[in-house]
Amino acid sequence: MKTKLIRDSVHGYIEVPEIIMQKIVDTSIFQRLRQIEQTSMRTLYPSAHHDRFVHSIGVYHLGKKAIDGLINNIKDDEIYTANKDFWQEYGLCFQLACLLHDCGHAPMSHSFEYGYLDCSNLDCCEKQKERLLKSMMQTQDEKSDFAKLIKLDVDSYFDAPKKITPHELVSAILVSEIFKEAIKDVLKAYLSIEVVENKIYEYIAFIERAIIGLQYDTHNESPHSLQDCFKNCLITLLNGNFFDVDKLDYIVRDTVESGANNISIDIPRILNALTLVEIHNFE
């Protein structure tokens, strides 16, 4: 697979496959991120010129490092050896989620997010909920088990609209509305064409979930509950409460670009140490 190198002030050289550059990075939706500043700190720190474009590339880079480190640490365990196809498929989807997690950012970054979602307007919330639901279900039968589970999770996501991050919501929706075909083309370069065609709706739904941090309900005893647990681990690795690759990039990037040398994080050590641990409830 041919790749292109991007020189980054934080992570050094970042390697991006050409097909991802052509199908996603070179699109107008993604390129517009060059015009959206990462922070509003330039009043105090004039050197902080970094934008959402380079941040998205950085999060993609850390996402790839994270999934490589995780797989390296579980490669001899049954949770990997018995699920190799899963880890290949969703490892790729996770990287694409990292790349696209900010693609819906509004002009002036967070300042104009209110234009995406008015939490106090029930009609606005309902319209965005239906849009998200449609984008995640795509052409699936509304009566299918897949669609029913998505509807339950989306309903719970909108139970507390004030907790929703509007740009994440729009970024997730754009994954289906704008980037679906591009994602299919990228996945087909690595996976079986037949597999991608049959499971693209699952991949798209996972990428959207990862962007908004919407985990799968693993309390039901479905045949896929174990793999849903694995998916939830990946989701929290992009959109977690305490630690994720998004936070790792912007914390270090804001520090480097602003010149405010107030923190040091050993990113390679952290990502190389990632592993999976089974949680016991001792019931």
Side-chain angles (χ1 to χ4, degrees):
M1 188 66 64
K2 291 184 178 180
T3 61
K4 288 193 174 182
L5 287 177
I6 296 175
R7 177 63 180 176
D8 181 52
S9 60
V10 175
H11 306 301
Y13 285 105
I14 296 177
E15 204 170 15
V16 183
E18 273 193 0
I19 189 168
I20 291 179
M21 293 292 296
Q22 294 167 0
K23 297 293 182 178
I24 296 177
V25 176
D26 289 344
T27 63
S28 58
I29 293 289
F30 199 89
Q31 288 291 320
R32 62 182 279 279
L33 297 179
R34 292 178 181 271
Q35 311 304 322
I36 303 175
E37 290 194 10
Q38 176 73 15
T39 72
S40 57
M41 63 197 302
R42 266 217 283 160
T43 302
L44 185 59
Y45 298 101
S47 63
H49 284 266
H50 54 303
D51 51 52
R52 292 284 165 179
F53 177 88
V54 71
H55 165 65
S56 297
I57 298 293
V59 175
Y60 164 80
H61 172 70
L62 294 186
K64 188 176 187 305
K65 293 290 185 183
I67 198 70
D68 288 346
L70 175 60
I71 290 177
N72 184 60
N73 289 327
I74 64 172
K75 63 184 178 182
D76 296 325
D77 297 340
E78 187 178 356
I79 53 175
Y80 176 74
T81 57
N83 299 277
K84 285 185 178 180
D85 289 344
F86 167 86
W87 289 109
Q88 182 185 16
E89 294 167 25
Y90 284 90
L92 287 168
C93 290
F94 171 73
Q95 292 173 47
L96 294 176
C98 291
L99 182 65
L100 292 167
H101 81 286
D102 268 355
C103 67
H105 248 291
M108 304 296 291
S109 194
H110 295 292
S111 301
F112 286 170
E113 280 196 296
Y114 66 87
Y116 286 157
L117 183 68
D118 182 355
C119 300
S120 62
N121 187 319
L122 294 178
D123 288 339
C124 178
C125 290
E126 192 61 31
K127 286 179 181 178
Q128 290 292 54
K129 182 168 78 170
E130 289 303 314
R131 191 178 169 196
L132 177 64
L133 190 61
K134 181 180 178 182
S135 71
M136 292 182 74
M137 293 198 325
Q138 299 176 66
T139 58
Q140 292 302 298
D141 181 357
E142 292 186 8
K143 295 181 180 180
S144 69
D145 291 339
F146 177 80
K148 289 177 182 177
L149 290 174
I150 287 180
K151 189 174 188 310
L152 286 173
D153 289 339
V154 170
D155 284 342
S156 68
Y157 178 65
F158 274 87
D159 278 345
K162 290 184 178 180
K163 293 184 178 180
I164 294 175
T165 304
H167 80 268
E168 292 178 354
L169 171 64
V170 174
S171 295
I173 291 170
L174 291 181
V175 164
S176 176
E177 293 185 354
I178 301 295
F179 290 105
K180 178 184 174 182
E181 293 304 316
I183 290 171
K184 281 177 68 174
D185 289 342
V186 171
L187 293 177
K188 284 178 180 178
Y190 293 91
L191 307 173
S192 157
I193 294 177
E194 183 180 359
V195 168
V196 174
E197 289 291 350
N198 290 335
K199 298 176 68 174
I200 187 62
Y201 63 92
E202 294 181 25
Y203 299 147
I204 294 292
F206 167 77
I207 293 172
E208 292 192 45
R209 282 175 177 268
I211 290 173
I212 62 176
L214 182 60
Q215 297 187 29
Y216 294 81
D217 181 2
T218 56
H219 293 96
N220 59 73
E221 295 297 327
S222 73
H224 305 294
S225 58
L226 180 60
Q227 289 194 350
D228 286 347
C229 287
F230 296 158
K231 292 176 189 176
N232 286 345
C233 291
L234 296 178
I235 289 172
T236 58
L237 204 51
L238 173 60
N239 194 331
N241 292 328
F242 305 106
F243 162 87
D244 56 53
V245 291
D246 180 22
K247 294 182 181 68
L248 275 183
D249 183 82
Y250 74 66
I251 289 174
V252 176
R253 190 173 299 281
D254 289 354
T255 298
V256 170
E257 298 295 352
S258 68
N261 191 17
N262 58 2
I263 193 169
S264 177
I265 300 177
D266 191 346
I267 290 178
R269 176 72 181 97
I270 291 173
L271 298 185
N272 287 333
L274 287 174
T275 189
L276 291 180
V277 178
E278 184 176 358
I279 297 176
H280 296 275
N281 294 321
F282 299 104
E283 295 177 352

